[in-house]
Each structure stands twice: as C-alpha cells, then as structure tokens.
Amino acid sequence: MELLKIMAAEKAKRFQEKANHRDTGAYAQNYGAHREGISMKEVADYYTQWANSDKYEVDLGPERYRGPKLAAESLCELIPENRESARVLDIASGTGFLGLELWEKGFRSIDGLDPSEGMIEAARKKNVYTNLICDFMSDQKLDINAGTYDVAVIAGGMGEGHIPCNALPEIIRIVKAGGYVVIVMREEYLVHVGDYKDRLEPLMKELEISGKWKKISRKIVPNYSFENKGVIFVFQKL
C-alpha cells in the first residue's frame, strides 16, 4: 500500500510539473478533497467552501474532468428513448454538472443527492433537478422508498472520505428491479483508496453472486480527470 501511495504521489508530481499554473491549482484543489484520512464530514465541508468560492466549476471544467459527460453518455446508451419518464438519482450531484448533461439529453425527472449544502445550493440554480436531497450516501437508510429510481448514477463521488463500499446495498435498494446502477470513477482509486482496495470490486462480485444485481460492463476510459484513466461500471438490479 505504501508503494502505491508513493507511485501516486510521483504521478501527481509529474502532472503538476508539466501542467500550466491553472491546471496545477485545480489539481491541488481537487486533491484537497481526496487527501488521505479525510472524513465524510470534512469532505462535505470542503466542497461547500469550494462551491462558495465560485472556483469549483472552473477547476473541474470539462477540459479537466469528463466524469459527467461519460456518465451521461452511459445513461443514454441504457435508455435510448422515453428518457423524459425515466427517474434518475444523481448521487454526489455536486453543483449539477451531470444533471445539466442529462437534461440536455432529454431526461426530465432527475433528483440530486449530495452531503454538501454549498453544492446543493449551486445545483439548485441549474433548474434541472426535481428534488435535491442534502444527505450522505452511506450504509444508512435514506429517506427514499425502495425501488424509486430507474437509474442511480455516481460520477466523481468515489474517493477517499467519499462514498464508502458499504453504501452499495443502499444504492441497490432505491433502484427498481430491472433498473441500473452506473458508477464512474478514477481507476487508480480502486487501489489507492484504502476502503476500496481489495474490497470494492470483491463486494460488487458478492452482490452479483447473491442475486442483487448483475454486471453489464466494466470499461476503462482515458482522460477521465487530470489525464488519469477512469472506469465505468454498469450494473442491472435483479
């Protein structure tokens, strides 16, 4: 694990050495939200401060962070028609990047969930969400009925101090039978984040074996964020 952390630090250093001043600043800001040992409460507070600074959407613009675009494309493949009637939960909705992408592609019933009050208020201004819920995505039961959504999607909500492995059963609970769970994240977090290393994908497999869902695809994509590879998981609830 220590070797992996050293390798990640070296990779970050190389990116910052060749990046311009703005990219370096944005990378450092994003790193602050994923620093080792950060708690979920600290993450929420950090994002609120970032949102209130009016720099978040500049720092994580589409030229640096493609998560929302990749997630929206995945949902369009899963739901090629009648998108206006599909109920979607955007988990870790942030300032509404993904909600806006989905709205532009014809989705009209989009709810957002995020633990950061600052992010929720910024997302509200996009006018694309039916409901916005300020809460953590964890193993605790949400105030959402079982089988509510056709799709639950995460783009950028995975990382140190972010959505934990043990949240997966609760995500599955709120999705309809036959509905989908889409997770878009940085690939290296599978080994660099302590909660995910040797746990996240094995748990995904356990949930498949136990008949909770089935894996539709696992795809590696280039340039997910700050030139890092991403991975897109798509599951269907059984």
Side-chain angles (χ1 to χ4, degrees), residues 66-91 93 97-112 128-129 149-156 171 175 178-185 216-217 219 221 231-236:
R66 298 200 306 133
K69 179 178 177 60
L70 294 167
E73 290 173 353
S74 294
L75 265 64
C76 287
E77 291 175 7
L78 295 170
I79 306 176
E81 54 189 25
N82 300 321
R83 292 173 187 161
E84 67 280 355
S85 62
R87 292 203 65 184
V88 178
L89 179 64
D90 177 7
I91 300 172
S93 49
F97 278 147
L98 176 53
L100 190 58
E101 288 274 355
L102 293 173
W103 184 271
E104 291 174 349
K105 289 174 169 52
F107 292 89
R108 292 294 179 268
S109 184
I110 312 164
D111 290 349
V128 296
Y129 291 99
Y149 295 102
D150 296 288
V151 185
V153 55
I154 300 170
I171 295 172
V175 172
Y180 300 96
V181 177
V182 178
I183 301 172
V184 185
M185 61 182 289
I216 302 300
S217 62
K219 181 169 69 174
V221 292
V231 56
I232 303 173
F233 295 99
V234 179
F235 295 91
Q236 185 172 33

Side-chain angles (χ1 to χ4, degrees), residues 21-83:
H21 176 71
R22 289 183 179 180
D23 284 342
T24 300
Y27 189 99
Q29 190 74 45
N30 187 62
Y31 176 80
H34 293 264
R35 64 186 183 273
E36 185 180 359
I38 192 170
S39 70
M40 293 176 70
K41 174 66 165 58
E42 288 171 331
V43 167
D45 290 344
Y46 187 94
Y47 278 119
T48 288
Q49 293 175 7
W50 198 356
N52 291 342
S53 74
D54 294 326
K55 292 181 179 180
Y56 178 84
E57 296 197 353
V58 175
D59 290 338
L60 292 188
E63 71 281 1
R64 298 189 183 109
Y65 171 53
R66 298 200 306 133
K69 179 178 177 60
L70 294 167
E73 290 173 353
S74 294
L75 265 64
C76 287
E77 291 175 7
L78 295 170
I79 306 176
E81 54 189 25
N82 300 321
R83 292 173 187 161

